[in-house]
Amino acid sequence: MSKIGILDSGVGGLSVLKEVYLNNLADEVYFLGDTKYFPYGIKPVEFIQERVFEIVSFFKSLGVEEVIIACNTASSVAYDFLKDRFRDLKIHSIVLGAIEGAKNYKAKKIGVLATRRTMESNIYPRLIHEKISDKIEVYVQSCSEGPLLETIEKGIVEGELIEKEIMRCIDPLVEKNIEGLILGCTHLPFVKKVIKDLYPNLFVVDPSLEVINFLKSDSNFNTKVEIFVTGEAEEFQGILNKLLGMDWIVKKVTLDRSDVSVIKG
């Protein structure tokens, strides 16, 4: 029996869950949104590492064999941290999925829209230069400072505010003459259509479509999904229905050890 755990700080990771589910890549999929501490993108590195350690420990207690870090921030600052501490699990980084997707395009200038912590980690320029070409110019723009991610977190993925915030974040990258854009936060696939409509000349790399290629499956499964959150389950249930149109039951879970040492970002 194949079991996969998917983690994020909020609803963004649902974009990855959607692809795993639609492609029937496991018998059982467990999603955990650490909504009590959303967003990770402005939290201290040590706090993020502590939280994802607790989440993966929770997944391990459920018998998962593979974990997708469906959060660019956590992938940027905690991927190696988790691999060192859970050597018996296969752990996949959404950032590495993005890099694989970028390999499909020949571009001299690439933009990345990401959280502040992902931008500060410098992971995208470093990995693009290491794994694709050191001649590519990489420009990373943070989208943590405005209401874009918080608005998507509420299940709002179109409208005047979304368009205004997308242009505020992407226009500085376009001014650099980028040829393509990496969606460096898993919330962003939910507004991909708006981005493509506003910037039709850019190619767009959606890591949620790429990271599932890391999952090796020889057969199709009738996938069972369980959803957990650390914040309010009922609120998340409504957003889940709005974004994915699914009526999966959302359960609240407490990860005690981290919850007693909160660091506010």
Side-chain angles (χ1 to χ4, degrees):
M1 179 176 288
S2 174
K3 295 184 178 183
I4 295 174
I6 300 173
L7 70 87
D8 189 21
S9 65
V11 304
L14 294 176
S15 61
V16 176
L17 171 62
K18 174 185 175 183
E19 297 305 322
V20 173
Y21 177 75
L22 290 179
N23 288 278
N24 298 307
L25 294 174
D27 284 302
E28 297 180 14
V29 179
Y30 301 100
F31 175 89
L32 193 145
D34 196 11
T35 52
K36 185 175 181 179
Y37 299 113
F38 172 84
Y40 279 174
I42 57 174
K43 298 291 193 300
V45 170
E46 294 79 8
F47 178 71
I48 298 168
Q49 291 176 340
E50 181 181 6
R51 291 302 297 172
V52 296
F53 179 86
E54 293 299 326
I55 293 169
V56 176
S57 297
F58 173 70
F59 283 154
K60 190 172 180 180
S61 73
L62 297 175
V64 304
E65 300 148 357
E66 299 185 66
V67 173
I68 300 176
I69 309 174
C71 170
N72 282 261
T73 301
S75 290
S76 299
V77 303
Y79 174 62
D80 291 333
F81 173 87
L82 290 175
K83 283 180 67 71
D84 286 344
R85 287 157 178 78
F86 296 95
R87 296 179 182 273
D88 54 335
L89 299 179
K90 294 180 180 178
I91 297 180
H92 308 293
S93 160
I94 192 76
V95 172
L96 292 178
I99 300 301
E100 291 302 308
K103 288 179 180 179
N104 297 321
Y105 301 93
K106 303 297 182 183
K108 296 180 180 179
K109 296 183 178 183
I110 295 178
V112 183
L113 192 57
T115 66
R116 183 195 309 165
R117 194 66 66 224
T118 300
M119 180 183 70
E120 291 172 348
S121 74
N122 202 45
I123 193 167
Y124 272 103
R126 178 172 60 81
L127 289 180
I128 287 173
H129 292 156
E130 285 179 5
K131 297 182 177 294
I132 304 179
S133 170
D134 59 5
K135 295 180 173 58
I136 297 174
E137 295 180 34
V138 184
Y139 301 96
V140 185
Q141 177 73 25
S142 169
C143 55
S144 290
E145 287 67 33
L148 179 61
L149 302 184
E150 286 80 1
T151 303
I152 298 171
E153 183 72 11
K154 297 174 183 176
I156 302 170
V157 296
E158 58 186 1
E160 184 178 350
L161 177 59
I162 289 290
E163 292 182 9
K164 178 183 176 182
E165 284 302 306
I166 285 174
M167 289 188 289
R168 183 184 65 80
C169 294
I170 297 181
D171 280 355
L173 296 173
V174 172
E175 290 173 2
K176 301 288 187 181
N177 297 313
I178 61 169
E179 299 155 76
L181 179 72
I182 295 175
L183 304 182
C185 172
T186 49
H187 282 66
L188 298 175
F190 288 116
V191 295
K192 181 169 62 174
K193 181 181 184 304
V194 179
I195 292 173
K196 286 188 170 183
D197 287 345
L198 290 172
Y199 303 95
N201 295 325
L202 294 181
F203 68 78
V204 176
V205 177
D206 180 351
S208 69
L209 300 176
E210 305 295 337
V211 72
I212 63 171
N213 293 323
F214 295 147
L215 305 177
K216 304 301 183 183
S217 177
D218 298 324
S219 60
N220 290 330
F221 301 96
N222 183 17
T223 304
K224 173 187 174 184
V225 176
E226 290 195 44
I227 310 285
F228 300 95
V229 294
T230 56
E232 294 303 317
E234 185 175 350
E235 180 182 358
F236 196 89
Q237 184 89 57
I239 297 169
L240 168 66
N241 293 345
K242 186 182 297 185
L243 292 177
L244 298 189
M246 304 300 293
D247 58 357
W248 294 317
I249 300 300
V250 178
K251 304 174 185 176
K252 184 173 181 178
V253 65
T254 299
L255 306 178
D256 293 314
R257 195 171 74 178
S258 290
D259 282 355
V260 299
S261 56
V262 180
I263 305 175
K264 296 190 180 296

